[in-house]
Amino acid sequence: MIKLIASDMDGTLLDEHSKVPPETFELIEALREKGVHFAVSSGRRYDRLCTFFEPVRDHMDFVASNGAQVYADGKLIDREVYSHLAIRELARVIEMFDNLHLALFDRTKSFLLDDECKFVREVDKDLPNAERIWDLPDPEVNILKASIFCDDGNVMDNAYVLQRELGDKFVFAPSGNAWIDALQLGVTKASGIAQIMGHYGIKTEEVMAFGDSMNDYEIVRMVGCGCAMANGRPALKAVADRVVGYNYEHAVQAEMRRILSEQK
């Protein structure tokens, strides 16, 4: 029996207009009444996710910033901030490549280490409250997320290079068409979901997860039923337990409805 459903946002739960289909809110409430928790697992920050789920934000859980912010029962149960030394090393390497541009995120701001025109807003990289900076934020600023924009669009080659340079400090996961997320070692959407599972006493086989991109890889591999979207990355579809429909077909919502019908 499924007791926790975890879903990515962009290319997964959201429709082709990057909106939450209204039926989603009703399904979250109905599943909750049947004892099934719903958690969004996203690269977006917690504050941004709350705007998407305003009608039900108090009745669901959040794994935000690729696992750096974890909320269950309306309470923060984990926050993983980046080492300032690691961020300095990341910035140093990024400076070696003219085609790479670094964005850092704290709880409310987006810090751009290059002119804003060098970045293209995409999926969870909408760069809220963007601020152009020339020096790294002070150590007391808690960085929750680091992402690199590739202006040549070649995310796979660039991710390989970054992994070779800084693989002892980060995992580099392609995200969207032209972005790479620099993930903290051991901090992923999967680690966040694992904490929510522990909070409620839910077993791995009782979890279903949905994703479409490589920053969903760990969670799709970890849970009892890992589902890749039909529009997802080929490598993710290859390792998933199931491949469901397309996000624009509201495939996640269809699965939520199916799970709801199976609850007694």
Side-chain angles (χ1 to χ4, degrees), residues 47-262:
D47 62 318
R48 304 297 288 175
L49 291 174
C50 285
T51 64
F52 279 91
F53 293 96
E54 183 61 34
V56 293
R57 59 178 291 184
D58 296 328
H59 297 159
M60 57 179 289
D61 304 310
F62 296 86
V63 173
S65 303
N66 287 320
Q69 295 172 292
V70 184
Y71 286 78
D73 276 337
K75 299 177 182 178
L76 178 68
I77 63 172
D78 188 36
R79 183 188 64 169
E80 299 289 342
V81 301
Y82 283 71
S83 154
H84 185 68
L85 176 60
I87 289 295
R88 280 166 47 194
E89 283 296 296
L90 178 61
R92 179 187 63 79
V93 170
I94 295 299
E95 286 181 357
M96 296 166 53
F97 302 94
D98 293 336
N99 60 311
L100 301 181
H101 313 281
L102 179 61
L104 304 172
F105 305 84
D106 72 355
R107 190 175 60 85
T108 60
K109 288 185 177 181
S110 306
F111 300 103
L112 307 183
L113 272 297
D114 213 329
D115 294 336
E116 192 166 345
C117 63
K118 297 289 183 70
F119 298 84
V120 174
R121 286 169 166 79
E122 181 183 304
V123 294
D124 62 319
K125 316 301 187 304
D126 51 352
L127 307 180
N129 301 323
E131 178 181 327
R132 169 65 160 103
I133 60 174
W134 282 263
D135 298 307
L136 290 177
D138 291 336
E140 62 264 25
V141 176
N142 292 321
I143 299 300
L144 297 167
K145 180 179 175 182
S147 298
I148 302 100
F149 176 69
C150 312
D151 64 25
D152 60 358
N154 198 340
V155 294
M156 299 308 295
D157 284 0
N158 291 317
Y160 177 82
V161 169
L162 291 170
Q163 194 68 42
R164 294 287 292 181
E165 293 286 340
L166 292 168
D168 61 330
K169 294 180 175 65
F170 301 97
V171 173
F172 293 93
S175 176
N177 295 320
W179 286 86
I180 300 169
D181 287 334
L183 307 177
Q184 302 177 72
L185 294 179
V187 180
T188 64
K189 294 179 181 181
S191 68
I193 289 297
Q195 293 190 70
I196 290 177
M197 291 164 56
H199 180 82
Y200 293 117
I202 295 174
K203 301 175 183 177
T204 302
E205 60 268 24
E206 297 172 327
V207 184
M208 173 180 278
F210 299 89
D212 74 307
S213 194
M214 297 314 294
N215 59 5
D216 300 308
Y217 187 93
E218 289 83 2
I219 190 171
V220 165
R221 290 290 281 160
M222 178 187 77
V223 302
C225 184
C227 302
M229 305 301 291
N231 50 280
R233 298 268 187 175
L236 190 69
K237 290 191 284 187
V239 300
D241 297 301
R242 292 178 54 202
V243 176
V244 297
Y246 295 87
N247 66 306
Y248 60 79
E249 296 176 334
H250 302 183
V252 174
Q253 287 79 6
E255 289 297 316
M256 293 170 69
R257 195 176 297 107
R258 182 183 64 80
I259 295 299
L260 181 62
S261 69
E262 294 175 354

